Amino acid sequence: GMATNIGQKFTMTLAITREKGGPEETVEVTLNLPYNMDGIAIIGSSHTDGVPEGQYLCRLPDWPALHFIYTGFQYLESPIDQIVCDGQKAASDAVDSLVKSGHKRIAYIGGSEYSSPFLGYCTALKKHGLPCHESRIRHVPISMEGGYLGAGELLKSGLDATACFCSNDVIAIGVMRAVRESGLFIPGDISVISMDDINVGRYLDPMLTTVHFPLAEMGRMTAKILIDRIEGGHHLPMKIVLPCHVVERESCGTAPA
C-alpha cells in the first residue's frame, strides 16, 4: 500500500534492517542514510517482540528538511506522525472473545513478558477477574517450533486450560500440531486463537481463528500522511489509530463442560 502511494509523486528508497536488529539498528541505519531525502517512514517491529521502540526513535536526527512517520503496533512517546494499530488491545480483544465463549482457564504461548500480546492477555484476564497462572504461560521464540515446543511443555505438565491464546499465527501453527499429536481435539478439547491473519491460517484444519490487522491500509495511510507532511499540509504531529477485528473461524468453540 505504501509503495503504490509514494510512487505517484516520490522515489522510495528501501532500507531493510535485520529481523533481530531491533529499533536500535533502525536508528543506526537512519543515521547513515543520505541527507537529501524529504521523509522517512519507519515500519515498527513486530507486535510480538515487546521492544520499547520509543526510547530509540527519540534519538532520530533533527534534520530541518526531513520528516518522519512511524507505523506499527504500539504508541510512541515521540513528537512524530504515527499510524498505529494497537497490538495490546488486539490481544485483549482476542482473550475477550474466549471469555465470552465460556473459557476461564486460558493459556498463553508467545513473545516476552514485555510484548503487547502478553500485556493484552494479562489485561483481559484481570478485567474479567480471572487468574494469570504461570503454569499456563510459556514465553517462546516467534516460530512454529517455538509454538510446538511451548505447547508440548504445557501439555506434558498437565495443562488444565480449555483455550490457548498465541501471540501470532506462526506460533499457533506449531501449537496446533502439538495439540493434535497429544491426542486432543481442536476446538473440542481446547480452543486456539492468535493474531495476524496470515493467508495460511484459513487453510489449516481446523481453520485458525485470529485477529486481523489492516496492514495494507496502514501502508497507504503512512504514505498519505508522510506526503501531506512533506508538502506542508499539516505541521502538528498526527496520531491515527486503525481498528483490528477478530476473524472467527473453526479453531475456537465454547468451553468444554
Side-chain angles (χ1 to χ4, degrees):
M2 185 170 67
T4 301
N5 282 23
I6 287 181
Q8 296 171 358
K9 292 187 177 183
F10 298 90
T11 299
M12 182 173 70
T13 299
L14 184 63
I16 301 176
T17 59
R18 297 170 301 167
E19 182 177 357
K20 296 182 179 180
E24 58 268 48
E25 182 170 314
T26 299
V27 172
E28 294 305 317
V29 170
T30 303
L31 291 172
N32 288 292
L33 289 173
Y35 283 81
N36 61 346
M37 294 179 299
D38 294 305
I40 294 179
I42 298 173
I43 310 302
S45 56
S46 166
H47 57 77
T48 58
D49 58 22
V51 178
E53 293 172 311
Q55 68 175 328
Y56 294 99
L57 299 187
C58 65
R59 294 167 43 202
L60 291 171
D62 186 20
W63 296 334
L66 187 58
H67 305 290
F68 291 95
I69 187 168
Y70 164 85
T71 182
F73 301 99
Q74 53 182 299
Y75 303 106
L76 303 185
E77 295 298 327
S78 181
I80 62 175
D81 293 331
Q82 301 179 40
I83 309 296
V84 178
C85 192
D86 190 342
Q88 183 170 331
K89 182 181 183 301
S92 183
D93 289 347
V95 176
D96 284 346
S97 72
L98 294 174
V99 175
K100 289 178 182 177
S101 295
H103 296 280
K104 295 182 178 179
R105 303 190 303 275
I106 303 171
Y108 170 87
I109 301 177
S112 77
E113 60 193 282
Y114 304 108
S115 66
S116 53
F118 183 68
L119 295 175
Y121 164 80
C122 294
T123 298
L125 292 183
K126 183 177 180 180
K127 178 175 68 176
H128 294 288
L130 300 175
C132 185
H133 289 305
E134 290 187 11
S135 62
R136 297 178 187 148
I137 296 170
R138 287 296 183 274
H139 298 292
V140 301
I142 310 303
S143 64
M144 294 182 194
E145 182 180 21
Y148 178 79
L149 295 176
E153 290 178 6
L154 288 179
L155 291 165
K156 289 177 182 177
S157 68
L159 179 66
D160 66 343
T162 62
C164 180
F165 167 59
C166 305
S167 64
N168 75 357
D169 293 348
V170 172
I171 288 175
I173 293 171
V175 168
M176 291 173 72
R177 177 175 176 179
V179 170
R180 285 195 301 269
E181 289 183 358
S182 73
L184 297 177
F185 294 94
I186 302 172
D189 296 310
I190 184 168
S191 292
V192 177
I193 191 170
S194 61
M195 299 166 62
D196 277 352
D197 193 21
I198 61 176
N199 287 334
V200 71
R202 69 194 68 183
Y203 298 105
L204 297 175
D205 184 19
M207 292 188 290
L208 181 60
T209 296
T210 185
V211 177
H212 174 80
F213 293 106
L215 300 182
E217 185 62 23
M218 290 174 74
R220 284 190 290 269
M221 289 299 299
T222 298
K224 181 178 180 180
I225 298 303
L226 179 57
I227 291 171
D228 185 69
R229 165 73 72 173
I230 293 170
E231 296 181 336
H234 70 281
H235 301 284
L236 295 176
M238 294 183 63
K239 182 181 292 184
I240 297 177
V241 181
L242 297 182
C244 59
H245 65 274
V246 176
V247 181
E248 296 183 2
R249 296 196 180 111
E250 299 172 343
S251 65
C252 285
T254 56

